[in-house]
Amino acid sequence: MSRLIGVLALQGDFAEHLHVLRRIGVEGREVRRPADLEGVAGLIIPGGESTTIGRLLERFELVEPIRALAQAGRPIWGTCAGLIVLAREVVAETRARHQPLLGLLDVVIRRNAFGSQRESFECDLLVEPLGLPLLRAVFIRAPVVEVVGPTVEVLARLPDGTPVAVRQGPLIGTAFHPELTDDLRFHRWFCSLATPAASLQSTA
Ligand code: GLN
């Protein structure tokens, strides 16, 4: 079954996501302008720098078209900076002066939540939809989910209970980077949520 997954390609590690999609036999498309969303069955927002990605979303007039995609029920997955951009709110002291958010996922995010000692680390996590074996999770200047809305499901937690993967219907967010390991299960699972899309009639 052919399934086209868009990968937001304004900044960050979009090439790694596209590489994993190729490895699992799913067609990926770089998304830089609204027309690139035409016909995509789902969208991945990569890791990178969330302030930059948010500002570029505004500049390239992608905010409303991505919200329309969500409204149409298409799965959207944000990794790390992508999770931040998807969120409803960022903890004030970690939010940049102008940090545009899509505001789709009902969570409050704390950016750069791990001190300089643990800016980057890896650990093995139980991720709800994947089960065993545990998933190797790579955290790079990662955020955490500080407040989880009532309709948001936590898919993975750190050993201290901190939520690091969430789902709200077709919206998925991970504070870590499955695209940086050889474990392809998270991408496979995300793509299984995305059914081939009829082209969006309108982005209004
Ligand atoms: N620290 C980055 C931010 O707040 C996210 C880091 C990442 O995506 N690996 O935007």
Side-chain angles (χ1 to χ4, degrees):
M1 180 169 42
S2 89
R3 210 184 284 147
L4 178 62
I5 301 292
V7 180
L8 187 71
L10 300 175
Q11 192 267 340
D13 76 334
F14 56 88
E16 284 77 0
H17 279 289
L18 287 161
H19 182 65
V20 177
L21 292 177
R22 267 196 301 279
R23 287 180 68 186
I24 64 174
V26 170
E27 190 185 351
R29 179 198 284 161
E30 295 182 10
V31 171
R32 294 199 176 82
R33 55 185 69 214
D36 298 331
L37 290 170
E38 183 71 25
V40 302
L43 178 70
I44 297 175
I45 304 180
E49 212 288 316
S50 58
T51 311
T52 305
I53 294 175
R55 290 176 186 177
L56 291 172
L57 281 175
E58 283 189 338
R59 182 165 333 148
F60 289 86
E61 300 183 331
L62 278 161
V63 172
E64 290 311 321
I66 292 175
R67 288 182 180 148
L69 198 72
Q71 213 151 33
R74 305 266 191 278
I76 304 179
W77 169 25
T79 57
C80 203
L83 161 63
I84 299 168
V85 168
L86 273 180
R88 164 171 73 76
E89 190 53 276
V90 170
V91 172
E93 70 258 28
T94 70
R95 185 166 181 167
R97 191 197 301 248
H98 181 58
Q99 172 139 32
L101 303 174
L102 290 166
L104 294 169
L105 194 52
D106 187 13
V107 292
V108 181
I109 298 293
R110 174 175 293 277
R111 294 178 62 201
N112 305 319
F114 303 94
S116 51
Q117 293 267 320
R118 291 184 81 209
E119 270 204 343
S120 298
F121 63 97
E122 297 184 14
C123 63
D124 294 320
L125 289 183
L126 180 62
V127 181
E128 187 84 26
L130 307 181
L132 295 173
L134 300 178
L135 187 82
R136 190 73 179 160
V138 180
F139 292 83
I140 304 168
R141 302 201 71 214
V144 295
V145 180
E146 187 136 312
V147 180
V148 178
T151 63
V152 176
E153 189 187 339
V154 176
L155 301 181
R157 296 178 188 272
L158 291 176
D160 70 1
T162 305
V164 287
V166 289
R167 172 179 188 178
Q168 184 182 357
L171 304 174
I172 316 290
T174 57
F176 50 87
H177 292 270
E179 74 282 9
L180 298 182
T181 70
D182 277 330
D183 193 327
L184 309 177
R185 286 177 297 161
F186 207 105
H187 285 77
R188 281 208 183 95
W189 174 70
F190 175 71
C191 291
S192 78
L193 302 177
T195 51
S199 64
L200 279 180
Q201 295 304 308
S202 153
T203 54

